[in-house]
Amino acid sequence: PHTSNMQFGAGLIDFGPDQGSPIPFSHSVHNSALAYVSNMLKTHSTAVTITHFNSPVWEALQLAEVWLDSGRFDHVLLGAVDELGEIMLYIFQRCNLISAESPSASSVHRRIAGEGAVVLLLSRSNDRSKRFASIASLSKSKSRPGDTDLILLDDSGIIPSSASQDGRPYDTSNAASCSHLWGRSPTNSAFSIVSAVLALGDSRCLQGFKTRRGESPARTPQRIVCADAQSPAEPFLLEQ
């Protein structure tokens, strides 16, 4: 929550190092928001916060998969939240990392910043009537990206990463992206997962997807791989 961090820092500058407000201070850590959610849901189980510039969603999915596969939990509530505050937006603009408008073809490192929140309920249940789709790491499915109907290749990082996987091994004709719909933020991968769930079996949801040719996918997918071009994390396969 960088907005709360900046508010607390501003208070120290304005009123002195011993006059910081306890309100923004108590909200300046990510666990505070998680504590509020746990209290509202009246849950007292394990709660973990993951922060990362490029791949927090994938790390959270991998952790949730371990918990579910081990039998430790039957359900995992996974929330992906990112806020674009005024000061952070200023920093990105000063560093020439984002564009106020659509980035030009000659400026590949300038991106449209985004923000948003997604919450997913993950379960070990095998009852197909009670789920939207199944999701598992690609290695467990014994599939390759080229074997699937569609690859949603997201690019969530505002800060360019040296670990970029763009074009390797996803440089195929069935690769598409939705990043142009909501900008770029660390939570983009969660938006792509929700988009994949909606697109499975419903061709109307494919209209917002764009392939590298600028076209929408031609057929309704049954198996979709979600991956992040800015993260070396393992992709996930979604299917009905």
CSV table of all heavy atoms in Angstrom, one decimal, residues 46-99:
chain,number,residue,atom,x,y,z
A,46,THR,N,-4.6,-19.9,8.1
A,46,THR,CA,-3.4,-19.3,7.6
A,46,THR,C,-3.6,-18.2,6.6
A,46,THR,O,-4.5,-18.3,5.7
A,46,THR,CB,-2.5,-20.4,6.9
A,46,THR,OG1,-2.3,-21.5,7.9
A,46,THR,CG2,-1.2,-19.9,6.4
A,47,ALA,N,-2.9,-17.1,6.7
A,47,ALA,CA,-3.0,-16.0,5.8
A,47,ALA,C,-1.6,-15.5,5.5
A,47,ALA,O,-0.8,-15.3,6.3
A,47,ALA,CB,-3.8,-14.8,6.5
A,48,VAL,N,-1.4,-15.3,4.2
A,48,VAL,CA,0.0,-15.0,3.7
A,48,VAL,C,-0.2,-13.8,2.7
A,48,VAL,O,-1.1,-13.8,1.9
A,48,VAL,CB,0.7,-16.2,3.0
A,48,VAL,CG1,2.0,-15.7,2.4
A,48,VAL,CG2,0.9,-17.3,4.0
A,49,THR,N,0.7,-12.9,2.8
A,49,THR,CA,0.8,-11.8,1.8
A,49,THR,C,2.0,-11.9,1.0
A,49,THR,O,3.1,-12.1,1.5
A,49,THR,CB,0.8,-10.4,2.5
A,49,THR,OG1,-0.4,-10.3,3.3
A,49,THR,CG2,0.8,-9.3,1.5
A,50,ILE,N,1.9,-11.8,-0.4
A,50,ILE,CA,3.0,-11.9,-1.3
A,50,ILE,C,3.1,-10.6,-2.1
A,50,ILE,O,2.1,-10.2,-2.7
A,50,ILE,CB,2.8,-13.1,-2.3
A,50,ILE,CG1,2.8,-14.4,-1.5
A,50,ILE,CG2,3.9,-13.1,-3.3
A,50,ILE,CD1,2.6,-15.6,-2.3
A,51,THR,N,4.3,-10.0,-2.0
A,51,THR,CA,4.5,-8.7,-2.8
A,51,THR,C,5.6,-8.9,-3.8
A,51,THR,O,6.7,-9.5,-3.4
A,51,THR,CB,4.8,-7.6,-1.9
A,51,THR,OG1,5.9,-7.9,-1.1
A,51,THR,CG2,3.6,-7.3,-0.9
A,52,HIS,N,5.4,-8.5,-5.0
A,52,HIS,CA,6.5,-8.6,-6.0
A,52,HIS,C,6.1,-7.7,-7.2
A,52,HIS,O,4.9,-7.5,-7.5
A,52,HIS,CB,6.5,-10.1,-6.5
A,52,HIS,CG,7.8,-10.5,-7.2
A,52,HIS,ND1,8.0,-10.1,-8.5
A,52,HIS,CD2,8.9,-11.1,-6.8
A,52,HIS,CE1,9.2,-10.6,-8.9
A,52,HIS,NE2,9.8,-11.2,-7.9
A,53,PHE,N,7.1,-7.2,-7.8
A,53,PHE,CA,6.8,-6.3,-9.0
A,53,PHE,C,6.3,-7.0,-10.2
A,53,PHE,O,5.5,-6.4,-11.0
A,53,PHE,CB,8.1,-5.5,-9.3
A,53,PHE,CG,8.2,-4.2,-8.6
A,53,PHE,CD1,9.2,-4.0,-7.7
A,53,PHE,CD2,7.3,-3.1,-8.8
A,53,PHE,CE1,9.4,-2.8,-7.0
A,53,PHE,CE2,7.4,-1.9,-8.1
A,53,PHE,CZ,8.5,-1.8,-7.2
A,54,ASN,N,6.8,-8.2,-10.4
A,54,ASN,CA,6.5,-8.9,-11.7
A,54,ASN,C,5.6,-10.1,-11.6
A,54,ASN,O,4.9,-10.4,-12.5
A,54,ASN,CB,7.8,-9.2,-12.4
A,54,ASN,CG,8.5,-8.0,-12.9
A,54,ASN,OD1,7.9,-7.1,-13.4
A,54,ASN,ND2,9.8,-8.0,-12.8
A,55,SER,N,5.7,-10.9,-10.5
A,55,SER,CA,5.0,-12.2,-10.6
A,55,SER,C,4.3,-12.6,-9.3
A,55,SER,O,4.4,-13.8,-8.9
A,55,SER,CB,6.0,-13.3,-11.0
A,55,SER,OG,7.1,-13.3,-10.1
A,56,PRO,N,3.6,-11.7,-8.6
A,56,PRO,CA,3.0,-12.1,-7.3
A,56,PRO,C,1.9,-13.1,-7.5
A,56,PRO,O,1.7,-14.0,-6.7
A,56,PRO,CB,2.5,-10.8,-6.7
A,56,PRO,CG,2.3,-9.9,-7.9
A,56,PRO,CD,3.4,-10.3,-8.8
A,57,VAL,N,1.1,-13.0,-8.6
A,57,VAL,CA,0.0,-13.9,-8.8
A,57,VAL,C,0.5,-15.3,-9.0
A,57,VAL,O,-0.1,-16.3,-8.5
A,57,VAL,CB,-0.8,-13.4,-10.0
A,57,VAL,CG1,-2.0,-14.4,-10.3
A,57,VAL,CG2,-1.5,-12.0,-9.7
A,58,TRP,N,1.5,-15.5,-9.8
A,58,TRP,CA,2.0,-16.8,-10.1
A,58,TRP,C,2.6,-17.4,-8.8
A,58,TRP,O,2.4,-18.6,-8.6
A,58,TRP,CB,3.1,-16.8,-11.2
A,58,TRP,CG,2.5,-16.1,-12.5
A,58,TRP,CD1,2.9,-15.0,-13.0
A,58,TRP,CD2,1.5,-16.6,-13.3
A,58,TRP,NE1,2.2,-14.7,-14.1
A,58,TRP,CE2,1.3,-15.7,-14.3
A,58,TRP,CE3,0.7,-17.8,-13.2
A,58,TRP,CZ2,0.3,-15.9,-15.3
A,58,TRP,CZ3,-0.3,-17.9,-14.2
A,58,TRP,CH2,-0.5,-17.0,-15.2
A,59,GLU,N,3.3,-16.7,-8.0
A,59,GLU,CA,3.8,-17.2,-6.8
A,59,GLU,C,2.7,-17.6,-5.8
A,59,GLU,O,2.8,-18.6,-5.1
A,59,GLU,CB,4.7,-16.2,-6.1
A,59,GLU,CG,6.0,-15.9,-6.9
A,59,GLU,CD,6.9,-14.8,-6.3
A,59,GLU,OE1,6.5,-14.3,-5.2
A,59,GLU,OE2,7.9,-14.4,-6.9
A,60,ALA,N,1.6,-16.8,-5.8
A,60,ALA,CA,0.5,-17.1,-4.9
A,60,ALA,C,-0.2,-18.4,-5.4
A,60,ALA,O,-0.6,-19.2,-4.6
A,60,ALA,CB,-0.5,-16.0,-4.9
A,61,LEU,N,-0.3,-18.6,-6.8
A,61,LEU,CA,-0.9,-19.7,-7.3
A,61,LEU,C,-0.1,-21.0,-7.0
A,61,LEU,O,-0.7,-22.1,-6.7
A,61,LEU,CB,-1.1,-19.6,-8.8
A,61,LEU,CG,-2.3,-18.8,-9.3
A,61,LEU,CD1,-2.2,-18.6,-10.8
A,61,LEU,CD2,-3.6,-19.5,-9.0
A,62,GLN,N,1.2,-20.9,-7.1
A,62,GLN,CA,2.0,-22.0,-6.8
A,62,GLN,C,1.9,-22.4,-5.3
A,62,GLN,O,1.8,-23.6,-5.0
A,62,GLN,CB,3.5,-21.7,-7.1
A,62,GLN,CG,3.7,-21.6,-8.6
A,62,GLN,CD,5.1,-21.1,-9.0
A,62,GLN,OE1,5.8,-20.5,-8.1
A,62,GLN,NE2,5.5,-21.2,-10.2
A,63,LEU,N,1.8,-21.4,-4.4
A,63,LEU,CA,1.7,-21.7,-3.0
A,63,LEU,C,0.3,-22.4,-2.8
A,63,LEU,O,0.2,-23.3,-2.0
A,63,LEU,CB,1.8,-20.4,-2.2
A,63,LEU,CG,1.6,-20.6,-0.7
A,63,LEU,CD1,2.6,-21.6,-0.1
A,63,LEU,CD2,1.7,-19.2,0.0
A,64,ALA,N,-0.7,-21.8,-3.4
A,64,ALA,CA,-2.1,-22.4,-3.2
A,64,ALA,C,-2.1,-23.8,-3.7
A,64,ALA,O,-2.8,-24.7,-3.1
A,64,ALA,CB,-3.1,-21.5,-3.9
A,65,GLU,N,-1.5,-24.1,-4.8
A,65,GLU,CA,-1.4,-25.4,-5.4
A,65,GLU,C,-0.8,-26.4,-4.4
A,65,GLU,O,-1.3,-27.5,-4.2
A,65,GLU,CB,-0.7,-25.4,-6.7
A,65,GLU,CG,-0.8,-26.7,-7.5
A,65,GLU,CD,-0.1,-26.6,-8.8
A,65,GLU,OE1,1.0,-26.0,-8.9
A,65,GLU,OE2,-0.7,-27.2,-9.8
A,66,VAL,N,0.3,-26.0,-3.8
A,66,VAL,CA,1.0,-26.8,-2.8
A,66,VAL,C,0.1,-27.1,-1.6
A,66,VAL,O,-0.1,-28.3,-1.2
A,66,VAL,CB,2.3,-26.2,-2.3
A,66,VAL,CG1,2.9,-26.9,-1.2
A,66,VAL,CG2,3.3,-26.1,-3.5
A,67,TRP,N,-0.6,-26.1,-1.1
A,67,TRP,CA,-1.5,-26.3,0.0
A,67,TRP,C,-2.6,-27.2,-0.3
A,67,TRP,O,-3.0,-28.1,0.5
A,67,TRP,CB,-2.1,-24.9,0.4
A,67,TRP,CG,-1.1,-24.1,1.3
A,67,TRP,CD1,0.0,-24.5,1.9
A,67,TRP,CD2,-1.3,-22.7,1.6
A,67,TRP,NE1,0.6,-23.5,2.5
A,67,TRP,CE2,-0.2,-22.4,2.4
A,67,TRP,CE3,-2.2,-21.7,1.3
A,67,TRP,CZ2,0.0,-21.1,2.9
A,67,TRP,CZ3,-2.1,-20.5,1.8
A,67,TRP,CH2,-1.0,-20.1,2.6
A,68,LEU,N,-3.3,-27.1,-1.5
A,68,LEU,CA,-4.4,-27.9,-1.9
A,68,LEU,C,-4.0,-29.3,-2.1
A,68,LEU,O,-4.6,-30.3,-1.7
A,68,LEU,CB,-5.1,-27.3,-3.1
A,68,LEU,CG,-5.8,-26.0,-2.9
A,68,LEU,CD1,-6.3,-25.4,-4.2
A,68,LEU,CD2,-7.0,-26.1,-1.9
A,69,ASP,N,-2.9,-29.5,-2.9
A,69,ASP,CA,-2.4,-30.8,-3.2
A,69,ASP,C,-1.9,-31.6,-2.0
A,69,ASP,O,-2.0,-32.9,-1.9
A,69,ASP,CB,-1.2,-30.8,-4.2
A,69,ASP,CG,-1.7,-30.4,-5.6
A,69,ASP,OD1,-2.9,-30.4,-5.8
A,69,ASP,OD2,-0.8,-30.0,-6.4
A,70,SER,N,-1.4,-30.9,-1.0
A,70,SER,CA,-1.0,-31.6,0.2
A,70,SER,C,-2.1,-32.0,1.2
A,70,SER,O,-1.9,-32.7,2.1
A,70,SER,CB,0.0,-30.7,1.0
A,70,SER,OG,-0.7,-29.5,1.5
A,71,GLY,N,-3.3,-31.5,0.9
A,71,GLY,CA,-4.4,-31.8,1.7
A,71,GLY,C,-4.5,-30.9,3.0
A,71,GLY,O,-5.4,-31.1,3.8
A,72,ARG,N,-3.7,-29.9,3.0
A,72,ARG,CA,-3.7,-29.0,4.2
A,72,ARG,C,-5.0,-28.2,4.2
A,72,ARG,O,-5.5,-27.9,5.3
A,72,ARG,CB,-2.5,-28.1,4.2
A,72,ARG,CG,-2.4,-27.2,5.4
A,72,ARG,CD,-1.1,-26.3,5.4
A,72,ARG,NE,-1.0,-25.5,6.5
A,72,ARG,CZ,0.0,-24.7,6.8
A,72,ARG,NH1,1.0,-24.6,5.9
A,72,ARG,NH2,0.0,-23.9,7.8
A,73,PHE,N,-5.5,-27.8,3.1
A,73,PHE,CA,-6.7,-27.0,3.0
A,73,PHE,C,-7.6,-27.6,1.9
A,73,PHE,O,-7.1,-28.2,0.9
A,73,PHE,CB,-6.4,-25.6,2.7
A,73,PHE,CG,-5.6,-24.9,3.7
A,73,PHE,CD1,-4.3,-24.5,3.4
A,73,PHE,CD2,-6.0,-24.6,5.0
A,73,PHE,CE1,-3.4,-23.9,4.3
A,73,PHE,CE2,-5.2,-24.0,5.9
A,73,PHE,CZ,-3.9,-23.6,5.6
A,74,ASP,N,-8.9,-27.4,2.0
A,74,ASP,CA,-9.9,-27.8,1.0
A,74,ASP,C,-10.1,-26.6,0.0
A,74,ASP,O,-10.5,-26.8,-1.1
A,74,ASP,CB,-11.2,-28.2,1.6
A,74,ASP,CG,-11.0,-29.6,2.3
A,74,ASP,OD1,-10.2,-30.4,1.9
A,74,ASP,OD2,-11.7,-29.7,3.4
A,75,HIS,N,-10.0,-25.4,0.6
A,75,HIS,CA,-10.2,-24.2,-0.2
A,75,HIS,C,-9.2,-23.1,0.1
A,75,HIS,O,-8.7,-23.0,1.2
A,75,HIS,CB,-11.6,-23.6,0.1
A,75,HIS,CG,-12.7,-24.6,0.0
A,75,HIS,ND1,-13.3,-25.0,-1.2
A,75,HIS,CD2,-13.4,-25.3,0.9
A,75,HIS,CE1,-14.2,-25.9,-1.0
A,75,HIS,NE2,-14.3,-26.1,0.3
A,76,VAL,N,-8.8,-22.4,-0.9
A,76,VAL,CA,-7.9,-21.2,-0.7
A,76,VAL,C,-8.5,-20.0,-1.4
A,76,VAL,O,-8.9,-20.1,-2.6
A,76,VAL,CB,-6.5,-21.5,-1.3
A,76,VAL,CG1,-5.6,-20.3,-1.3
A,76,VAL,CG2,-5.9,-22.7,-0.6
A,77,LEU,N,-8.6,-18.9,-0.7
A,77,LEU,CA,-9.1,-17.7,-1.2
A,77,LEU,C,-7.9,-16.8,-1.6
A,77,LEU,O,-7.1,-16.4,-0.8
A,77,LEU,CB,-10.0,-16.9,-0.2
A,77,LEU,CG,-10.7,-15.7,-0.8
A,77,LEU,CD1,-11.8,-16.1,-1.8
A,77,LEU,CD2,-11.4,-14.9,0.4
A,78,LEU,N,-7.8,-16.6,-2.9
A,78,LEU,CA,-6.6,-15.9,-3.5
A,78,LEU,C,-7.0,-14.5,-4.0
A,78,LEU,O,-7.9,-14.4,-4.9
A,78,LEU,CB,-5.9,-16.7,-4.6
A,78,LEU,CG,-4.6,-16.2,-5.1
A,78,LEU,CD1,-3.8,-17.4,-5.7
A,78,LEU,CD2,-4.7,-15.1,-6.2
A,79,GLY,N,-6.5,-13.5,-3.4
A,79,GLY,CA,-6.8,-12.1,-3.8
A,79,GLY,C,-5.6,-11.4,-4.4
A,79,GLY,O,-4.5,-11.5,-3.9
A,80,ALA,N,-5.8,-10.8,-5.5
A,80,ALA,CA,-4.7,-10.0,-6.2
A,80,ALA,C,-5.2,-8.6,-6.3
A,80,ALA,O,-6.1,-8.3,-6.9
A,80,ALA,CB,-4.4,-10.6,-7.6
A,81,VAL,N,-4.4,-7.7,-5.6
A,81,VAL,CA,-4.8,-6.3,-5.5
A,81,VAL,C,-3.6,-5.4,-5.7
A,81,VAL,O,-2.5,-5.6,-5.2
A,81,VAL,CB,-5.4,-6.0,-4.1
A,81,VAL,CG1,-5.9,-4.5,-4.0
A,81,VAL,CG2,-6.5,-6.9,-3.7
A,82,ASP,N,-3.8,-4.3,-6.6
A,82,ASP,CA,-2.8,-3.4,-6.8
A,82,ASP,C,-3.4,-2.0,-7.0
A,82,ASP,O,-4.4,-1.9,-7.6
A,82,ASP,CB,-1.9,-3.7,-8.0
A,82,ASP,CG,-0.7,-2.8,-8.1
A,82,ASP,OD1,0.1,-2.9,-7.1
A,82,ASP,OD2,-0.5,-2.1,-9.1
A,83,GLU,N,-2.8,-1.0,-6.4
A,83,GLU,CA,-3.3,0.4,-6.4
A,83,GLU,C,-2.3,1.3,-7.1
A,83,GLU,O,-1.1,1.2,-6.8
A,83,GLU,CB,-3.6,0.9,-5.0
A,83,GLU,CG,-4.1,2.3,-5.0
A,83,GLU,CD,-4.3,2.9,-3.5
A,83,GLU,OE1,-3.7,2.2,-2.6
A,83,GLU,OE2,-4.9,3.9,-3.4
A,84,LEU,N,-2.7,2.1,-8.0
A,84,LEU,CA,-1.8,3.1,-8.6
A,84,LEU,C,-2.1,4.5,-8.0
A,84,LEU,O,-3.0,5.2,-8.4
A,84,LEU,CB,-2.1,3.1,-10.1
A,84,LEU,CG,-1.2,4.0,-11.0
A,84,LEU,CD1,0.3,3.6,-10.8
A,84,LEU,CD2,-1.6,4.0,-12.4
A,85,GLY,N,-1.2,4.8,-7.0
A,85,GLY,CA,-1.4,6.1,-6.4
A,85,GLY,C,-0.8,7.2,-7.2
A,85,GLY,O,0.0,7.0,-8.1
A,86,GLU,N,-1.1,8.5,-6.8
A,86,GLU,CA,-0.6,9.6,-7.5
A,86,GLU,C,0.9,9.8,-7.5
A,86,GLU,O,1.5,10.1,-8.6
A,86,GLU,CB,-1.3,10.9,-6.9
A,86,GLU,CG,-0.9,12.2,-7.6
A,86,GLU,CD,-1.6,13.4,-7.0
A,86,GLU,OE1,-2.4,13.2,-6.2
A,86,GLU,OE2,-1.2,14.5,-7.4
A,87,ILE,N,1.5,9.5,-6.4
A,87,ILE,CA,3.0,9.6,-6.3
A,87,ILE,C,3.7,8.5,-7.1
A,87,ILE,O,4.7,8.8,-7.8
A,87,ILE,CB,3.4,9.6,-4.9
A,87,ILE,CG1,2.9,10.8,-4.1
A,87,ILE,CG2,4.9,9.5,-4.8
A,87,ILE,CD1,3.2,10.8,-2.6
A,88,MET,N,3.2,7.3,-7.1
A,88,MET,CA,3.8,6.2,-7.9
A,88,MET,C,3.6,6.5,-9.4
A,88,MET,O,4.5,6.2,-10.1
A,88,MET,CB,3.2,4.9,-7.5
A,88,MET,CG,3.9,3.7,-8.1
A,88,MET,SD,5.6,3.6,-7.6
A,88,MET,CE,5.4,3.1,-5.9
A,89,LEU,N,2.5,7.0,-9.7
A,89,LEU,CA,2.3,7.4,-11.1
A,89,LEU,C,3.3,8.5,-11.6
A,89,LEU,O,3.8,8.4,-12.7
A,89,LEU,CB,0.8,7.9,-11.3
A,89,LEU,CG,0.4,8.2,-12.8
A,89,LEU,CD1,0.5,7.0,-13.7
A,89,LEU,CD2,-1.0,8.8,-12.8
A,90,TYR,N,3.5,9.4,-10.7
A,90,TYR,CA,4.5,10.5,-11.0
A,90,TYR,C,5.9,9.9,-11.2
A,90,TYR,O,6.7,10.2,-12.1
A,90,TYR,CB,4.5,11.5,-9.9
A,90,TYR,CG,5.6,12.5,-10.0
A,90,TYR,CD1,5.6,13.6,-10.9
A,90,TYR,CD2,6.7,12.4,-9.2
A,90,TYR,CE1,6.6,14.5,-10.9
A,90,TYR,CE2,7.8,13.3,-9.2
A,90,TYR,CZ,7.7,14.4,-10.1
A,90,TYR,OH,8.7,15.3,-10.2
A,91,ILE,N,6.3,8.9,-10.3
A,91,ILE,CA,7.6,8.3,-10.4
A,91,ILE,C,7.7,7.5,-11.7
A,91,ILE,O,8.8,7.6,-12.4
A,91,ILE,CB,7.8,7.3,-9.2
A,91,ILE,CG1,7.9,8.1,-7.9
A,91,ILE,CG2,9.0,6.5,-9.4
A,91,ILE,CD1,7.9,7.3,-6.6
A,92,PHE,N,6.7,6.8,-12.1
A,92,PHE,CA,6.8,6.0,-13.3
A,92,PHE,C,6.9,7.0,-14.5
A,92,PHE,O,7.7,6.7,-15.5
A,92,PHE,CB,5.5,5.2,-13.5
A,92,PHE,CG,5.5,4.0,-12.6
A,92,PHE,CD1,4.3,3.5,-12.2
A,92,PHE,CD2,6.6,3.4,-12.2
A,92,PHE,CE1,4.2,2.3,-11.4
A,92,PHE,CE2,6.6,2.3,-11.4
A,92,PHE,CZ,5.4,1.8,-11.0
A,93,GLN,N,6.2,8.1,-14.5
A,93,GLN,CA,6.3,9.0,-15.6
A,93,GLN,C,7.7,9.7,-15.6
A,93,GLN,O,8.3,9.9,-16.7
A,93,GLN,CB,5.2,10.1,-15.5
A,93,GLN,CG,3.8,9.5,-15.7
A,93,GLN,CD,2.7,10.5,-15.5
A,93,GLN,OE1,2.9,11.5,-14.7
A,93,GLN,NE2,1.6,10.3,-16.1
A,94,ARG,N,8.2,10.1,-14.5
A,94,ARG,CA,9.5,10.7,-14.4
A,94,ARG,C,10.6,9.8,-14.9
A,94,ARG,O,11.6,10.2,-15.5
A,94,ARG,CB,9.9,11.2,-13.0
A,94,ARG,CG,9.0,12.3,-12.6
A,94,ARG,CD,9.5,13.6,-13.2
A,94,ARG,NE,10.8,14.0,-12.8
A,94,ARG,CZ,11.4,15.1,-13.2
A,94,ARG,NH1,10.9,15.9,-14.2
A,94,ARG,NH2,12.7,15.4,-12.8
A,95,CYS,N,10.4,8.5,-14.7
A,95,CYS,CA,11.4,7.5,-15.1
A,95,CYS,C,11.2,7.0,-16.5
A,95,CYS,O,11.9,6.1,-17.0
A,95,CYS,CB,11.4,6.3,-14.2
A,95,CYS,SG,12.0,6.6,-12.5
A,96,ASN,N,10.2,7.6,-17.2
A,96,ASN,CA,9.9,7.3,-18.6
A,96,ASN,C,9.5,5.8,-18.8
A,96,ASN,O,9.8,5.2,-19.8
A,96,ASN,CB,11.1,7.6,-19.5
A,96,ASN,CG,10.6,7.8,-21.0
A,96,ASN,OD1,9.5,8.3,-21.2
A,96,ASN,ND2,11.5,7.3,-21.9
A,97,LEU,N,8.8,5.3,-17.7
A,97,LEU,CA,8.4,3.9,-17.8
A,97,LEU,C,7.0,3.7,-18.3
A,97,LEU,O,6.6,2.6,-18.7
A,97,LEU,CB,8.5,3.2,-16.4
A,97,LEU,CG,9.9,3.1,-15.8
A,97,LEU,CD1,9.8,2.6,-14.3
A,97,LEU,CD2,10.7,2.0,-16.6
A,98,ILE,N,6.2,4.7,-18.3
A,98,ILE,CA,4.8,4.6,-18.7
A,98,ILE,C,4.5,5.8,-19.6
A,98,ILE,O,5.2,6.8,-19.7
A,98,ILE,CB,3.8,4.6,-17.6
A,98,ILE,CG1,3.8,5.9,-16.8
A,98,ILE,CG2,4.1,3.4,-16.7
A,98,ILE,CD1,2.8,6.0,-15.7
A,99,SER,N,3.4,5.6,-20.4
A,99,SER,CA,2.9,6.6,-21.3
A,99,SER,C,1.5,7.1,-20.8
A,99,SER,O,0.8,6.3,-20.3
A,99,SER,CB,2.8,6.1,-22.7
A,99,SER,OG,4.1,5.7,-23.2
